[in-house]
Amino acid sequence: MVRIQRRKFLASCLCITATVFLLVTLQVVVELGKFERTKFGNSNLQDGHAKMEEGPGHLNPFLKKEAPALHRKKTSGSDSYPVMLWWSPLTGETGRLGQCGADACFFTINRTYLHHPMTKAFLFYGTDFNIDSLPLPRKAHHDWALFHEESPKNNYKLFHKPVVTLFNYTATFSRHSHLPLTTQYLEGVEALKSLRYLVPLPSKNELRKRLAPLVYVQSDCDPPSDRDSYVRELMTYIEVDSYGECLRNRDLPGQLNSPVSMDADGFYRILAQYKFILAFENAVCDDYITEKFWRPLKLGVVPVYYGSPSIKDWLPSNKSAILVSEFPHPRELAGHIRRLDHDDRSYEGYVEWKLKGQISNQRLLTALRERSWGVQDISQDNYIDAFECMVCTKVWDNIRLQEKGLPPKRWKAEDTHLSCPEPTMFAFSPPRAPRWGSSREMWVRSFEQSKKEARALRWLVDRNQNFSAQEFWALVFKD
């Protein structure tokens, strides 16, 4: 009997000891958990960014504790941030809480957020915008935002009023866009003023013994601007060195044949030897200005420009480029270039602004100073970041209005935010290369069909129901 009581007593002691041990262990685990959560929250908030769960569930609650300065919206008793859903996989980010000044939004390409209650905006990249999959039906609080800095030939239907006005916010090459990207290929004022690649005129005159006065480098042949037809005709009146796949008559050094070498130092130094560069865009649209224009200006070469009809608004000075549009025929342009080639004083008038480091165009200076993004500048946001934050900020502005009981502000794109005229072909006769004819005319036909596509797409989106590709094309070819 005594032995049994002793066993019961020992068993009780063991139970008490085990219970105490478990309680102590549990307390340690809890404290470690608190420490790890605090550490996790702090590490995620470094540099103004924080990660979030990749699924469409609740946002990471630890972020709220570590970010008291962020604006918040109360939803169903829990804090969360507006979701900006990239409908194009441009950024490749499955989830990032991005800081935009005092505001923060969650950016993701994860389409499972389509029906998330905090999804406020859908971000589209123009080149990837297609009819195969759109976030329909579109809810009243769903904003659409368009980012498109590329040529109209990449997606013509965007350049018609029925489609571009589907969007609330835009970032395009047009100065009328909500976030103008007109100077997207220009690093800044100093890049224009730089004399790094400048070849003195006496040296250029000496180089003229083996080089043509004009250089042309294009490998995207026969685009909507029909530039190759013009240059081909120009070549009958003046010598042109052409290094690209289009109209090639000279070869670049082997190491510079790759397209990635177009920004290489060696390539720049070859171009800098010339007096004039044919800077022809692949499409003719207001404010569509690419590196083809800025590059010769940076190198100290006179651009012979064809492209944006509004280019005069962006010249560093009134006399810094030769505009093809001011000459009735390539013959007259060739005559003007020949005169400049033989008259040093007249030629230097086109580069005087650079030699003196004087940029007189206030519109250009203001645009470079006031833009909210940078080009190849790690100290500034890039233009995709700026686009994301523009949309995030506008969404938060409306959230704050609604919290005050006020109606949200409705933003809407206009046709001036992305618009290009119908492509036109140069009519030089007799045609010197008949094989180009069908390709040239293709762009006119493509543009005409894109009008029908734009009308069909607008009708289907306004219906606010999902639709199939068959429905779309049936509507396009209905007439």
Side-chain angles (χ1 to χ4, degrees):
M1 185 68 178
V2 172
R3 185 177 296 176
I4 293 174
Q5 290 178 343
R6 185 181 299 170
R7 286 179 180 175
K8 288 183 177 179
F9 174 77
L10 289 173
S12 299
C13 290
L14 285 172
C15 288
I16 293 171
T17 303
T19 301
V20 172
F21 176 79
L22 287 173
L23 289 173
V24 171
T25 302
L26 182 60
Q27 183 63 29
V28 170
V29 170
V30 170
E31 292 302 319
L32 283 174
K34 290 180 179 178
F35 172 78
E36 287 301 318
R37 287 195 295 271
T38 304
K39 180 180 177 182
F40 175 77
N42 287 334
S43 65
N44 274 343
L45 285 167
Q46 289 177 358
D47 300 324
H49 293 81
K51 291 186 178 179
M52 192 191 220
E53 294 176 358
E54 292 185 2
H58 294 294
L59 308 190
N60 194 319
F62 307 131
L63 299 177
K64 306 305 177 192
K65 295 180 180 179
E66 300 300 325
L70 302 181
H71 290 286
R72 305 167 195 163
K73 171 72 175 177
K74 292 278 186 180
T75 308
S76 302
S78 64
D79 291 335
S80 47
Y81 294 102
V83 175
M84 309 287 108
L85 177 52
W86 271 101
W87 205 246
S88 308
L90 180 66
T91 65
E93 293 181 327
T94 55
R96 172 178 60 85
L97 188 63
Q99 193 74 38
C100 298
D103 299 323
C105 291
F106 179 60
F107 299 94
T108 181
I109 64 168
N110 187 344
R111 291 192 177 186
T112 60
Y113 279 91
L114 172 60
H115 301 295
H116 192 280
M118 284 306 293
T119 296
K120 300 294 185 182
F122 292 84
L123 313 184
F124 298 87
Y125 180 49
T127 298
D128 296 335
F129 183 85
N130 60 69
I131 57 93
D132 294 334
S133 174
L134 291 174
L136 296 172
R138 182 178 180 179
K139 297 180 180 178
H141 65 276
H142 283 170
D143 288 338
W144 285 14
L146 175 67
F147 179 91
H148 192 50
E149 87 291 20
E150 293 190 345
S151 170
K153 74 188 185 82
N154 289 18
N155 203 337
Y156 259 137
K157 59 180 167 287
L158 287 172
F159 288 75
H160 301 295
K161 186 174 181 178
V163 174
V164 71
T165 53
L166 284 172
F167 300 95
N168 302 95
Y169 317 112
T170 61
T172 76
F173 54 73
S174 171
R175 76 184 76 180
H176 304 295
S177 171
H178 293 123
L179 183 71
L181 305 175
T182 315
T183 58
Q184 62 182 302
Y185 291 98
L186 179 58
E187 297 89 337
V189 173
E190 294 309 313
L192 289 174
K193 292 182 178 180
S194 173
L195 303 179
R196 176 181 177 185
Y197 294 100
L198 182 71
V199 176
L201 185 54
S203 298
K204 290 191 177 188
N205 285 333
E206 184 65 24
L207 288 165
R208 276 285 287 109
K209 294 177 182 179
R210 60 180 180 85
L211 299 178
L214 282 159
V215 63
Y216 184 59
V217 186
Q218 293 298 336
S219 292
D220 177 15
C221 304
D222 209 29
S225 66
D226 200 25
R227 61 190 173 198
D228 295 326
S229 294
Y230 191 98
V231 175
R232 187 184 297 110
E233 182 73 12
L234 181 66
M235 284 176 161
T236 66
Y237 302 102
I238 193 169
E239 188 182 0
V240 177
D241 286 346
S242 182
Y243 290 95
E245 292 300 316
C246 314
L247 311 177
R248 182 171 61 189
N249 57 25
R250 291 192 74 135
D251 294 322
L252 289 166
Q255 70 274 18
L256 296 177
N257 278 327
S258 169
V260 299
S261 67
M262 294 297 99
D263 286 320
D265 182 81
F267 179 64
Y268 280 6
R269 294 197 182 280
I270 289 174
L271 296 185
Q273 298 177 104
Y274 288 86
K275 288 187 173 181
F276 306 91
I277 290 180
L278 290 170
F280 282 42
E281 306 288 7
N282 64 28
V284 177
C285 309
D286 275 342
D287 297 337
Y288 178 59
I289 304 166
T290 70
E291 79 286 347
K292 297 172 187 66
F293 174 68
W294 304 115
R295 181 188 290 143
L297 294 172
K298 292 189 288 186
L299 299 179
V301 182
V302 178
V304 179
Y305 184 78
Y306 178 70
S308 171
S310 57
I311 192 63
K312 284 186 177 180
D313 291 343
W314 304 102
L315 298 177
S317 75
N318 290 333
K319 196 174 184 182
S320 50
I322 296 170
L323 307 184
V324 170
S325 60
E326 295 183 349
F327 298 87
H329 191 275
R331 179 176 50 251
E332 283 72 31
L333 174 62
H336 181 66
I337 292 172
R338 277 198 301 271
R339 286 189 292 274
L340 294 175
D341 185 30
H342 293 99
D343 185 343
D344 287 356
R345 186 172 181 180
S346 295
Y347 176 84
E348 286 182 328
Y350 283 89
V351 294
E352 184 178 9
W353 69 271
K354 187 174 186 71
L355 296 173
K356 293 182 177 179
Q358 296 177 346
I359 298 175
S360 58
N361 187 342
Q362 292 304 311
R363 178 193 298 275
L364 175 60
L365 293 172
T366 300
L368 292 173
R369 182 175 62 251
E370 294 184 352
R371 67 187 185 185
S372 59
W373 43 271
V375 179
Q376 298 180 5
D377 185 349
I378 60 174
S379 68
Q380 293 182 285
D381 287 340
N382 60 49
Y383 47 41
I384 296 177
D385 293 333
F387 168 66
E388 289 183 335
C389 278
M390 174 191 70
V391 179
C392 174
T393 300
K394 291 186 183 301
V395 166
W396 266 112
D397 286 345
N398 276 340
I399 289 175
R400 285 186 280 267
L401 285 174
Q402 290 175 300
E403 286 177 338
K404 296 176 181 177
L406 300 173
K409 182 174 182 180
R410 301 307 300 168
W411 293 80
K412 185 179 179 180
E414 299 178 6
D415 55 352
T416 55
H417 290 201
L418 201 62
S419 136
C420 292
E422 179 178 331
T424 57
M425 304 294 105
F426 291 107
F428 303 124
S429 60
R432 303 181 186 280
R435 68 182 181 87
W436 293 77
S438 59
S439 298
R440 293 170 56 208
E441 294 166 2
M442 174 192 72
W443 293 115
V444 176
R445 294 195 297 269
S446 177
F447 185 88
E448 287 301 318
Q449 179 171 310
S450 70
K451 291 181 182 178
K452 297 179 181 179
E453 293 179 16
R455 290 194 294 267
L457 182 60
R458 182 58 186 248
W459 187 88
L460 289 167
V461 173
D462 283 348
R463 190 181 62 172
N464 208 24
Q465 299 175 13
N466 286 309
F467 58 89
S468 67
Q470 289 80 3
E471 287 180 273
F472 171 76
W473 290 113
L475 199 56
V476 170
F477 295 109
K478 183 178 180 180
D479 297 330

